[in-house]
Amino acid sequence: MTSLSHGLGSSVGRKLVVAVTGLALLGFVLGHMVGNLQLFLGQDALNGYAALIKSKPALLWGARLGLLAFVGAHVVLALELAAENKAARPHGYAAPGRIQSTPNARSMTLTGLMILAFVIYHLAHLTWGVTHPADHALVQTLADGTTRPDVFSAVVLGFQDPLVAGAYLVAMLLLGLHIGHGIQSVFQSLGLTTSSSRGTFAKLGAGLTWLIVIGNCAMPVAVLAGVITLPEGVA
Amino acid sequence: MNITVRVWRQEGPAATGHLETIEATDVSADSSFLEMLDLVNERLISAGREPIAFDHDCREGICGMCSLVIDGVPHGPRRATTTCQLHMRSFTDGATITIEPFRAKAFGVLRDLVVDRSGFDRIIQAGGYASVNTGGAPDANAIPIGKGEADLAMDAAACIGCGACVAACPNASAMLFTAAKVAHYGHLPQGEPERDRRVTRMVETMDAEGFGNCRNYYECEAACPKEIPVDFIAELNRDFRRATVQGGSR
Ligand code: HEM
Ligand code: FES
């Protein structure tokens, strides 16, 4: 009988891994968004949330390494499948046609790679403090005199720059294209789609995609529009 | 009607081909697409030239031999219609029609518009069957099968194995064909004993033949002259997951 590793190495098996890791990344994106929406609750809420995460290093590093593994598997396998697909049609059509495949389905590799580039920029901005070191070094002093990183102000200062906010907005639209095809695709790859559930999964995908795009875009838009401003004393 | 065809000419598997432009005048709007090519060929032969090689057999939409990518779409512009059942009235007078062979590494061009689709035969040999013991003919209806399941098996069995799914797929994947063949047995009790082995072996052969990987574009479903739905691909994915990842037993 076919072994597990042999099965997972096949076309269908690798696509299954892309689907499972894509689903896990989607879960992360949702959780990440819900946490970050505390930006709307103010400096204390967001900074408290950031401090809470940082206070559990074992959990934090476990999640980070897990995410790294998922992203790695997702990207490597997706690119490998894409390269094989290119090789499977060495001679293209002189008059190529398209019937019902969507442009976002056909640009998964491109949108995926651009998301990857954005993720690296995003980490350099807010996690590593490479692009805005002064913002990254800001601290909030609490009533008892202790200090904690002022994530809230770093985010707001970043988004006050239209170029930075614009990069985030564009990236979220690209993510929307990616998961707009990806979510319904996961159900197909996992073999859960049936003729009666297909429409439901497509709607679920569209709904979740809009939720994620709107939720994430709300933050830079609110800062640009002046709805969210810097706390007193931060310049 | 008068039309212009741009048709792929290639002398053999190793030759480099090219698109040749041929004027086809006085074509009846009621002739089929293949009859139009017959007419073009008769004129080519009269002029002492090589006729265009293309595949066909039944000309009634059931054998799966006709192929052709017509203006970028396998079997041409009409939904649920094989090339042999397509008529010239589906085109406008004066149109230029581009005719190309099915394109895939796994479907090498043999000559002009004829490609080698024997990869499909090898996928079938790998598992597209149900083993039965020989002996006296079993009683008809000895195994009751629900109407719903029987209908689904018939829907899958409608696949004529033409290869339009591969030709339409931007990834040259044979998943719709393979899935239809897997499902056609999977919905019948006779197919049950070999369920796991069937799906793993057929997928293995499909990969080895050099077909691409399915990315859920669903272009195949729209091109399929028998309207096989991609729901069968989900079924293949489910069977495959159960057979390999979840440690199938058969
Ligand atoms: C937040 C990050 C990401 C999320 C939430 C995500 C989500 C998904 C989902 C849900 C799918 C559908 C899986 C399926 O079709 O069954 C998918 C597919 C895909 N992803 Fe991502 N992805 C992310 C990042 C990336 C990155 C960085 C790349 C880089 C190349 C990438 C490349 C792809 C490709 C090429 C596919 C299609 C694979 C195929 O159909 O064969 N993704 N992704
Ligand atoms: S020639 Fe038989 S299906 Fe078209």
Side-chain angles (χ1 to χ4, degrees):
Chain A
M1 199 62 253
T2 322
S3 71
L4 177 64
S5 62
H6 188 74
L8 283 182
S10 69
S11 60
V12 181
R14 282 177 293 166
K15 179 69 192 236
L16 195 60
V17 177
V18 173
V20 169
T21 53
L23 200 60
L25 294 178
L26 189 75
F28 167 76
V29 166
L30 262 175
H32 188 66
M33 177 182 84
V34 170
N36 291 348
L37 281 171
Q38 295 178 65
L39 188 72
F40 285 97
L41 300 180
Q43 186 187 28
D44 287 333
L46 191 67
N47 289 355
Y49 170 62
L52 177 75
I53 292 178
K54 283 275 167 72
S55 70
K56 310 253 186 303
L59 264 178
L60 176 66
W61 278 100
R64 280 179 172 170
L65 292 178
L67 263 177
L68 191 66
F70 280 133
V71 172
H74 188 80
V75 172
V76 168
L77 290 180
L79 293 181
E80 191 178 277
L81 292 172
E84 289 177 11
N85 288 343
K86 244 189 139 104
R89 158 104 10 95
H91 197 301
Y93 293 107
R98 184 183 73 82
I99 321 171
Q100 69 171 13
S101 56
T102 58
N104 55 340
R106 298 175 74 135
S107 49
M108 288 298 276
T109 308
L110 185 67
T111 51
L113 284 174
M114 289 171 89
I115 294 167
L116 186 64
F118 165 75
V119 167
I120 294 169
Y121 166 73
H122 175 54
L123 287 171
H125 175 199
L126 291 169
T127 303
W128 304 325
V130 176
T131 62
H132 296 67
D135 299 356
H136 190 252
L138 289 173
V139 291
Q140 178 189 21
T141 308
L142 298 180
D144 62 3
T146 57
T147 61
R148 63 187 183 188
D150 190 0
V151 178
F152 179 87
S153 301
V155 171
V156 174
L157 280 167
F159 286 170
Q160 282 179 346
D161 180 344
L163 273 181
V164 174
Y168 277 80
L169 290 174
V170 169
M172 287 312 110
L173 295 181
L174 290 168
L175 178 66
L177 290 177
H178 196 81
I179 61 177
H181 169 72
I183 298 173
Q184 60 77 28
S185 180
V186 163
F187 294 103
Q188 176 82 358
S189 302
L190 293 178
L192 302 175
T193 310
T194 59
S195 58
S196 54
S197 63
R198 191 166 161 191
T200 312
F201 288 141
K203 282 191 199 120
L204 179 73
L208 257 180
T209 299
W210 280 111
L211 185 76
I212 288 174
V213 171
I214 293 174
N216 278 319
C217 287
M219 293 177 267
V221 167
V223 172
L224 280 180
V227 176
I228 297 177
T229 51
L230 283 174
E232 305 254 327
V234 182
Chain B
M1 41 195 296
N2 300 315
I3 53 161
T4 307
V5 292
R6 291 167 70 220
V7 55
W8 185 258
R9 305 302 304 264
Q10 181 173 335
E11 282 190 6
T16 48
H18 65 280
L19 280 174
E20 183 178 326
T21 303
I22 302 173
E23 302 296 333
T25 51
D26 278 331
V27 177
S28 161
D30 293 325
S31 65
S32 75
F33 198 82
L34 296 185
E35 284 164 349
M36 180 274 290
L37 285 179
D38 290 339
L39 186 74
V40 168
N41 274 347
E42 279 168 21
R43 292 175 185 166
L44 284 174
I45 293 167
S46 307
R49 300 186 43 212
E50 276 293 319
I52 304 160
F54 62 88
D55 262 332
H56 61 104
D57 189 7
C58 71
R59 296 208 177 189
E60 48 189 36
I62 54 173
C63 75
M65 264 316 271
C66 57
S67 56
L68 310 188
V69 171
I70 303 166
D71 285 338
V73 177
H75 294 295
R78 267 182 74 91
R79 283 257 175 151
T81 306
T82 53
T83 295
C84 60
Q85 294 284 291
L86 179 69
H87 289 82
M88 294 312 293
R89 53 181 172 268
S90 295
F91 299 87
T92 49
D93 196 12
T96 298
I97 305 171
T98 306
I99 311 170
E100 297 175 80
F102 283 1
R103 295 285 189 198
K105 186 175 86 185
F107 285 170
V109 172
L110 296 175
R111 186 181 180 90
D112 296 343
L113 302 168
V114 178
V115 299
D116 175 6
R117 285 173 279 181
S118 59
F120 271 15
D121 298 339
R122 289 184 287 276
I123 294 176
I124 294 292
Q125 283 160 11
Y129 52 79
S131 302
V132 289
N133 294 324
T134 54
D139 282 345
N141 300 326
I143 307 172
I145 303 169
K147 166 104 173 101
E149 283 299 289
D151 283 353
L152 276 171
M154 274 306 285
D155 287 351
C159 168
I160 53 176
C162 63
C165 44
V166 175
C169 177
N171 308 309
S173 166
M175 276 285 268
L176 191 62
F177 166 77
T178 308
K181 298 307 171 192
V182 166
H184 145 193
Y185 292 98
H187 281 283
L188 296 174
Q190 289 88 339
E192 198 54 31
E194 286 156 310
R195 193 182 193 98
D196 290 358
R197 213 181 326 161
R198 177 176 306 114
V199 69
T200 48
R201 288 192 184 163
M202 288 178 85
V203 166
E204 205 171 87
T205 308
M206 176 181 85
D207 291 352
E209 288 291 331
F211 292 104
N213 310 296
C214 175
R215 301 182 79 175
N216 305 341
Y217 290 177
Y218 307 157
E219 196 73 355
C220 51
E221 173 185 74
C224 176
K226 297 297 155 186
E227 301 188 290
I228 307 285
V230 292
D231 307 337
F232 289 128
I233 296 183
E235 287 186 13
L236 180 151
N237 288 336
R238 181 163 66 233
D239 274 7
F240 188 86
R241 170 165 56 80
R242 289 195 182 134
T244 60
V245 185
Q246 281 155 239
S249 51
R250 291 181 289 264

